[in-house]
Amino acid sequence: MSRNSWVAVARATAAAALVWSSAASAVLVIDSGVDTVTKRYTIVSGSSVGYQGGFFGGGDVGPLPVSGQFDVVYSRYWWEYRQDFDPQGLQGTFLAESDWIQFRNASLVLDSALGGFVFPGYFIRRTGDQLAGDDHPCSLPFGPDTFCSGSVLGPLSQLAGQIDSAGRLSFAGFQPAGFFFEGFSYQVNAAAVSLPASPWLLAAGLGLLWRENRRRA
C-alpha cells in the first residue's frame, strides 16, 4: 500500500473516534469569544522532513531539507462564567482563557521522495513560549461548561516546540503514515515575514516628500 493510502487509513481511523461534548453542571457561561491574529512565516535553514519505513513501510528517506511559507493563526479563546447556583453573579464572574495556534495555507518545497507528508493543521496549545499539540479529537478549545471524551484507534500526529522572544518558531513532530512506527518526522524552524508598509503609510510618505519639494522650490 502506498504512503498516501496509509495516510488516508490513519485519518479514517481518527475520524471514527468517539467524540462527546456536553454541558457540565458546575458553571454557567455568560459570554465568550476568540481574538485572533494571523502572521505569515517563512521556513528557514535547519528545517527537514524524513520518512521512517517502520516494520513494513520500506526503506527510510532523509531527512531532507524543506522550505516554503505558511500562515500561523494565533488565537485566544475566552469564557466569562458564573457558578450555576449563582446566576446573578453575586459571588463573582470568572474568566477562563486558553491560547492556541493553527498552521494554514502551507506552501512547501519538498523532495518528491517524501510524497504523502502533510503540514500539521490541527490545534496546537500555547503555554507561554511552549507549543504542544496532536490530532486527537478532543485536542481543541472548549469552555468550562463543556467536556470531551474520545479515543483513537491508531497513532496520533503530534508536535512540540517553542516561540522565542523574537517570534521565531521551532517545532518538531511525527506524522504517522500507517502502523508499526511508519511515518514522517520533521523539524521546522521559521521566522515571521516582514509585512510591507500599508498603502496609507506609503501615501503619507509621498505627501511629505511632495510638501518638502514645494518648500525647496
Side-chain angles (χ1 to χ4, degrees):
M1 182 178 290
S2 69
R3 295 176 200 163
N4 287 331
S5 298
W6 274 120
V7 171
V9 170
R11 288 180 177 173
T13 303
L18 169 66
V19 182
W20 179 37
S21 297
S22 175
S25 60
V27 301
L28 175 65
V29 171
I30 60 173
D31 197 9
S32 63
V34 55
D35 306 316
T36 63
V37 174
T38 301
K39 296 183 179 180
R40 189 70 173 168
Y41 278 76
T42 186
I43 299 173
V44 299
S45 62
S47 303
S48 63
V49 177
Y51 170 73
Q52 301 173 13
F55 289 127
F56 305 112
D60 296 349
V61 178
L64 300 175
V66 59
S67 60
Q69 292 190 336
F70 59 95
D71 291 334
V72 180
V73 181
Y74 291 86
S75 301
R76 171 184 172 266
Y77 290 80
W78 57 270
W79 302 264
E80 290 184 353
Y81 66 94
R82 297 169 181 165
Q83 302 297 329
D84 65 341
F85 58 80
D86 179 34
Q88 302 301 317
L90 299 179
Q91 297 190 20
T93 298
F94 306 94
L95 177 68
E97 56 186 347
S98 58
D99 295 316
W100 300 78
I101 69 171
Q102 279 185 290
F103 303 138
R104 295 179 179 172
N105 303 318
S107 177
L108 304 181
V109 179
L110 189 64
D111 193 286
S112 60
L114 295 169
F117 174 71
V118 179
F119 207 70
Y122 45 81
F123 278 101
I124 301 163
R125 185 69 181 263
R126 178 183 178 185
T127 306
D129 63 351
Q130 298 299 303
L131 304 174
D134 58 49
D135 62 352
H136 189 280
C138 290
S139 295
L140 75 169
F142 51 85
D145 63 337
T146 303
F147 65 89
C148 178
S149 62
S151 60
V152 173
L153 302 176
L156 293 172
S157 293
Q158 54 189 319
L159 66 81
Q162 63 181 11
I163 305 175
D164 69 15
S165 58
R168 292 183 293 262
L169 296 175
S170 177
F171 57 91
F174 184 76
Q175 176 198 116
F179 298 95
F180 304 107
F181 310 105
E182 180 188 1
F184 300 91
S185 58
Y186 55 90
Q187 168 69 48
V188 174
N189 306 311
V193 176
S194 298
L195 297 178
S198 60
W200 70 267
L201 285 176
L202 179 60
L206 291 174
L208 288 174
L209 179 61
W210 179 74
R211 284 195 296 271
E212 180 65 20
N213 287 338
R214 284 194 62 187
R215 196 174 292 121
R216 292 177 180 175

